[in-house]
Structures are given as structure tokens and as C-alpha cells.
Amino acid sequence: MTREDFRRELGDAMDSISGSPDPSLPERVRAAVVHAPEERGPVWIGALAAAVIAVILVGVLLANNPLNHPPALGHGPTPTPSVAPSPSPTASPFVCGSAPVTVTNQTAPPVALIAAVRPGSHPPDYDRLVIEFKSSQTGTIKIAPQANSKFTMGASGATVTLAGKFGLLITIQGADNHTAYSGPTDFKTPKYLGIREVRYLGDFENTTQWGVGLSSSACYQATMLTSPTRLAIDIRTS
């Protein structure tokens, strides 16, 4: 093989190798071969060619080594941020006794419209009575326990006895029970553990009253809730 043939084959071999770390490396090698002294024999040419090929291979391996490349963004597992648990809400204590309780004591809007009345059972812990308002604010609300289940019907003065042995009288000032409310006026709930009957007593001069007949002396808690505005009265049954 002539020196000219060797230079051509060596150049083709270098051009066929991809991933060279330096694009000018093949040209430098070709220049070194072309300008090599004429008097050096085939042994020098073979050694130079071997060294050049070794350098190229080492460069290619280093350039393509995956350990030399930083990991691509967006790959690999994403660390899960730690989230502190939300504190559990603390329920207000139940009130037991015969003294009246004032739930709200504030100036009422022109008229707070009652939109819904809903008794419900949540055994074995409590029964609940909800009075929902169409307006966002109510007047003064008072809850008065009774040692019996007898109530007076508003302006008429008639006496009614509800199911149960004890009672709660709910008085809502600045409220209208006839404009927006079209539901029942007497709820009988014989299967409930605490509430036995809920009855509308009257709506006179923007004051509304409801009576609640209970199976036993009341231990209860009353809370004003929002969205929508509503009064929730829980009667403890356990």
C-alpha cells in the first residue's frame, strides 16, 4: 500500500466516526500525516496511525459517556412535598340546663326571610334542627329550654302540646316566616332519639317562633352557619 492510499483510507476512517469532541481533529491528523518526513518508513506510519486512532476512539468514548451528561430536566421521579395535616375542628360544648341561651344579639336587616326548616337525625350522637335564612343576617335569636312540651301559639294564645316530655322554644326577632317559606309547619319525628316534634308557633310583628318537643331534658349546642346563613341546633342523644 502506498503512502497516498494509506492517507486516503485514514481520512475516510476518521470521517466515518461520529461524536468526535473536536471537529478540527481529523484535519490536524491529516496535516500531520501529509507533512511527515519522507524518509520515515512504514513502521513510523503504522505507529502514528495506531496512536491517532486510539486518540480518536478515546475522545469518542468520553464524549458519548452518559455519565458526562447532566440529567435532562423533567425526567426522573419528582419529590413529593410534605404537607402538614390540617388541625381537626373543635366542637363547641353542649349546654345542659334550663337557662335561655342567646345565639345572636344584633341589629336585624329590614326582614330576615326564613327559607327552609329541616329536622334530621344523626344517630347515635345527636339530632339536628336547621332553620335556613334567605337573608344574610338575622336579628336576635334566643333558645329557651322547657320542663314540658307545651307551647303557646303566637297571637292566638292557644296552647299546643308537642310529642315528647321536654321542649325548646326558639324565638327569632326581625324574621319573616311566611314570605319565602312554603314547607311543612309541623314535623313529627317519632323515630328520632332526641327530637320528637318540631312545630311552627307563630309569625307576628317580625318575630317568629318554633317549638321543639324532646324525649328528654335538652343538652344542646346552637351555631350560626354561613353560605347560606342558617341556625343549626344539635340535641345530644348519647
Side-chain angles (χ1 to χ4, degrees):
M1 174 185 294
T2 65
R3 190 169 0 186
E4 211 44 56
D5 293 335
F6 173 76
R7 285 200 300 267
R8 185 171 54 255
E9 290 184 7
L10 182 60
D12 294 339
M14 287 188 294
D15 290 338
S16 66
I17 297 175
S18 62
S20 174
D22 186 357
S24 63
L25 181 59
E27 293 300 327
R28 294 202 306 271
V29 174
R30 292 193 187 97
V33 174
V34 170
H35 295 93
E38 295 292 335
E39 60 274 11
R40 295 189 181 179
V43 175
W44 177 87
I45 294 174
L48 177 60
V52 169
I53 293 174
V55 170
I56 294 173
L57 291 176
V58 171
V60 171
L61 291 175
L62 290 177
N64 294 330
N65 189 349
L67 297 178
N68 293 333
H69 297 280
L73 296 177
H75 295 281
T78 302
T80 302
S82 58
V83 179
S86 301
S88 300
T90 302
S92 59
F94 281 80
V95 176
C96 300
S98 58
V101 171
T102 299
V103 182
T104 64
N105 188 11
Q106 57 195 5
T107 302
V111 175
L113 303 180
I114 294 176
V117 177
R118 297 184 297 271
S121 180
H122 302 267
D125 299 322
Y126 64 95
D127 291 343
R128 169 172 286 188
L129 173 63
V130 174
I131 300 178
E132 182 179 318
F133 300 90
K134 189 174 181 180
S135 308
S136 61
Q137 181 181 348
T138 67
T140 300
I141 300 176
K142 290 185 178 180
I143 301 175
Q146 297 185 173
N148 55 61
S149 59
K150 295 181 179 181
F151 297 89
T152 302
M153 294 289 294
S156 69
T159 299
V160 294
T161 300
L162 305 188
K165 298 180 180 179
F166 296 84
L168 285 179
L169 174 62
I170 304 167
T171 303
I172 308 170
Q173 296 179 358
D176 178 335
N177 206 123
H178 59 268
T179 300
Y181 181 72
S182 58
T185 58
D186 191 3
F187 299 87
K188 298 182 183 298
T189 56
K191 294 184 179 180
Y192 286 12
L193 298 178
I195 297 176
R196 293 302 173 89
E197 186 176 359
V198 178
R199 184 163 179 173
Y200 168 70
L201 300 177
D203 178 9
F204 181 71
E205 293 184 349
N206 293 338
T207 297
T208 297
Q209 289 186 319
W210 283 79
V212 183
L214 304 175
S215 61
S216 61
S217 179
C219 285
Y220 67 95
Q221 61 180 1
T223 308
M224 290 301 298
L225 305 175
T226 58
S227 300
T229 301
R230 58 203 188 277
L231 168 67
I233 303 174
D234 294 338
I235 309 297
R236 191 169 68 186
T237 56
S238 62

